[in-house]
Amino acid sequence: MAHVPQTFFDALAVRTWCGLALRALGRAREEIDAINVYPVADGDTGTNLYLTAESAAAAVEAVFEGHDAHGSGKPALADAARAMAHGALIGARGNSGTILAQLLRGMAQVLAADGETAHTDGEGLRLALRHAADSARQAVAHPVEGTVLTVASAAADAAGAAEGDCGTVARAAYDGARTALAATPGQLAVLERAGVVDAGGRGLVAVLGALVETFTGEAPRAVPVVSGTSPEAGSTEVSAADPASPDECADAPGTGGPAFEVIYLLEADDTAVARLRERLDGLGDSLVVVGGDGLWNVHVHVDDAGAAVEAGIEAGRPYRIRITHFALGDVHTTGAERQPREPAQRAVVAVVPGEGLAGLYNEAGATTVLARPGEPPASGELVEAVRRAHAREVVLLPNDADLRHTAAAAAEQARAEGIRVALIPTRSAVQGIAALAVHEPERRFDEDVVQMTSAAGATRYAEVAVAERQSWTMAGICQAGDVLGLIDGDVAVIGSDVTVTAETVLDRMLSAGGELVTLVLGDEAPEAVADHLETRVRESYLAVDTVVYRGGRQGAVLLIGVE
């Protein structure tokens, strides 16, 4: 995309950089995945970097949208930089994504040091790159040369020796990183045996290339990925199978490396995190802990995944826990060991708001993406779920009106990869349940989609939630702590009691008729609310059935569907 080169590093430059970095990583993702041999030949470094950058870019966009909505103009540099760092932190994936998140956080700490500064210049960018490289190295328990850390340090060194504006400094950092990347096979034996450069370092060069383009308007030349290619040469393609043979990666599955990758966000204080680092360092390797100010992203490879999670529980509150078994055939398995499987004809991919519903959807055969409160999935996550479903035809259920654009973008990308995707615009998980109930894989794809769309459209949806702040609603002004009853996305009832409000909402919905009521209880729902509503339906509405599910930590106290 064409853009006006930025003269200074301000909020708009942060926004432009994030967008260009996301585009650059999107173009390079498959190439980076293909050369990924360290620390584990799992073929996902490019994808993890892309998802991390996507989360950072989305957070920055949200800051700009917020300022636009309030008519307050452009955000300050500090606001944009902090949003970039926070978005990367909560969206960080894998070893490489976690380190990228710390690099961006290190930069943000310098860029946001003076919250009132509108912009910084080449000197500020030099300091930010230096602090980024140093903080990323400190976040890794046992830094290894020939990795992204080496590339980041080389970029900071080169930037520190440059004199001039942001464009000059960015170009120096890029050139330094590019030279260091070409030298990584000589520093790490596994790269030399595979004949490739470091995948994480290659991703960082792409991000720094986007920084150059931000300030100069010119995209740097392609980057070599095969060792022995000079930095001046063009990019050379590699086969995804090249780095994947068992004797080329000492950390590949089956050669004595840890069995699991464990990642989670953690709310904890600095003292507890210091103890956690020591505990996890004794449990496994590839330990990276990044963050601060009470929120951390923890990444480690271990044999005892349960112990790694328990350590997090002792330190604070872990959530968004992801555990990947390296021996599974779909991830963290070498190309030689991965047995190709025939794609299924059809699959359903659904976004769900809680663990309980994820289990329900999984039992029905769907591939799920968990959307925790305040943490909607990015389009890259939805694309990955479509790929994970491993089917020629996929029905995508976003189950949230706010995800329609994200889901549409994911569907387009999946179609570009040759997967036939139908997006059904479900606005609630209860509409998704209705669609899934009539799903028949043996039907023609178009017929199945029509039936699922019809079932979802015939299901009215509501939720009962607690207001977090005072605000205007369709039903009047609500105060923090009020119980809100939303029907089809709009506040229809403001009350003080969950059960009474839920009954009022249900009565309004059933006044238009219905045959089946679906109740999905969140963790904060009162124990008796389900029994009370079931009794209300049984005594007041003839021939209407009720089904109850446990949704877990889903944000809303209660979800209601009437079909």
Side-chain angles (χ1 to χ4, degrees):
M1 58 183 177
H3 73 280
V4 177
Q6 304 299 305
T7 304
F8 297 104
F9 209 152
D10 60 2
L12 185 57
V14 173
R15 184 189 202 181
T16 301
W17 180 33
C18 287
L20 291 173
L22 185 61
R23 188 179 71 168
L25 288 171
R27 289 196 303 259
R29 181 186 60 79
E30 292 184 359
E31 174 192 277
I32 296 172
D33 283 346
I35 64 170
N36 174 201
V37 297
Y38 184 86
V40 177
D42 49 5
D44 64 359
T45 290
T47 298
N48 287 336
L49 288 169
Y50 179 85
L51 293 174
T52 304
E54 185 179 47
S55 183
V60 173
E61 285 299 318
V63 168
F64 272 83
E65 289 173 4
H67 278 259
D68 288 342
H70 291 90
S72 53
K74 186 177 68 175
L77 170 60
D79 293 335
R82 291 192 188 106
M84 173 184 70
H86 181 73
L89 178 67
I90 64 173
R93 297 299 190 91
N95 189 72
S96 54
T98 307
I99 293 174
L100 176 61
Q102 187 66 6
L103 287 167
L104 296 180
R105 177 179 170 80
M107 291 190 70
Q109 287 175 328
V110 174
L111 298 175
D114 184 351
E116 301 303 316
T117 300
H119 64 260
T120 191
D121 54 12
E123 175 62 22
L125 179 55
R126 282 195 294 272
L127 294 174
L129 290 168
R130 178 77 271 164
H131 187 63
D134 293 345
S135 60
R137 188 170 287 269
Q138 292 166 7
V140 177
H142 302 285
V144 174
E145 297 306 326
T147 65
V148 63
L149 298 177
T150 305
V151 176
S153 294
D157 292 343
E163 295 291 339
D165 59 13
C166 288
T168 301
V169 173
R171 171 68 70 178
Y174 174 79
D175 289 341
R178 199 165 182 267
T179 300
L181 176 66
T184 55
Q187 298 171 290
L188 204 53
V190 63
L191 300 178
E192 187 173 24
R193 288 195 297 270
V196 296
V197 297
D198 178 66
R202 168 66 182 89
L204 179 58
V205 169
V207 172
L208 291 173
L211 188 64
V212 174
E213 189 174 358
T214 298
F215 294 112
T216 68
E218 299 176 358
R221 57 189 180 275
V223 178
V225 297
V226 177
S227 62
T229 306
S230 69
E232 288 70 33
S235 175
T236 304
E237 293 185 358
V238 295
S239 165
D242 286 343
S245 60
D247 58 350
E248 287 177 340
C249 181
D251 293 312
T255 58
F260 298 95
E261 177 184 58
V262 179
I263 306 172
Y264 50 79
L265 289 177
L266 177 71
E267 293 178 355
D269 59 38
D270 292 1
T271 302
V273 170
R275 293 194 299 267
L276 175 66
R277 289 179 191 268
E278 294 181 5
R279 174 85 180 275
L280 293 179
D281 195 25
L283 288 175
D285 59 29
S286 297
L287 174 61
V288 186
V289 181
V290 305
D293 302 320
L295 180 63
W296 308 81
N297 192 304
V298 179
H299 170 280
V300 67
H301 295 174
V302 293
D303 282 321
D304 189 343
V309 175
E310 288 173 4
I313 294 173
E314 291 177 6
R317 187 179 78 87
Y319 61 103
R320 290 190 71 172
I321 300 169
R322 299 186 184 93
I323 300 175
T324 303
H325 196 304
F326 287 171
L328 290 179
D330 57 344
V331 288
H332 291 79
T333 306
T334 66
E337 293 171 333
R338 187 184 291 118
Q339 296 299 318
R341 58 190 175 100
E342 183 69 17
Q345 183 61 34
R346 189 173 309 158
V348 175
V349 172
V351 180
V352 291
E355 292 85 351
L357 279 180
L360 172 67
Y361 273 73
N362 288 335
E363 287 177 8
T367 298
T368 58
V369 177
L370 195 58
R372 294 175 175 84
E375 300 170 8
S379 63
E381 291 181 80
L382 300 187
V383 174
E384 283 304 302
V386 171
R387 295 188 186 116
R388 194 169 70 245
H390 201 62
R392 298 183 181 90
E393 302 167 341
V394 172
V395 179
L396 182 56
L397 306 175
N399 291 341
D400 186 335
D402 292 335
L403 286 177
R404 61 188 184 279
H405 296 306
T406 300
E412 281 302 311
Q413 183 171 339
R415 290 178 189 127
E417 297 177 7
I419 304 171
R420 189 180 184 189
V421 181
L423 171 60
I424 297 179
T426 48
R427 299 185 175 189
S428 170
V430 292
Q431 288 189 322
I433 291 173
L436 200 56
V438 300
H439 168 55
E440 290 186 14
E442 304 307 317
R443 272 196 301 236
R444 287 179 54 247
F445 185 62
D446 292 338
E447 292 178 356
D448 198 28
V449 171
V450 167
Q451 291 300 319
M452 294 177 72
T453 302
S454 177
T459 302
R460 299 190 69 196
Y461 64 96
E463 68 177 73
V464 177
V466 177
E468 297 181 354
R469 64 184 69 87
Q470 183 188 60
S471 61
W472 291 86
T473 76
M474 297 287 289
I477 301 175
C478 72
Q479 306 295 328
D482 283 349
V483 180
L484 306 180
L486 294 87
I487 299 177
D488 293 338
D490 293 324
V491 176
V493 181
I494 300 176
S496 58
D497 180 81
V498 170
T499 301
V500 173
T501 302
E503 180 179 324
T504 302
V505 168
L506 185 57
D507 283 340
R508 290 194 184 185
M509 296 179 74
L510 286 173
S511 65
E515 299 176 354
L516 176 66
V517 172
T518 300
L519 304 175
V520 182
L521 305 178
D523 283 344
E524 298 178 358
E527 287 295 327
V529 66
D531 289 340
H532 180 86
L533 294 178
E534 283 188 284
T535 300
R536 174 69 176 172
V537 172
R538 184 172 58 252
E539 293 179 349
S540 302
Y541 302 95
L542 298 177
V544 178
D545 294 324
T546 305
V547 60
V548 180
Y549 300 110
R550 293 281 175 179
R553 183 172 174 263
Q554 62 184 24
V557 177
L558 174 68
L559 300 178
I560 303 173
V562 174
E563 55 184 298

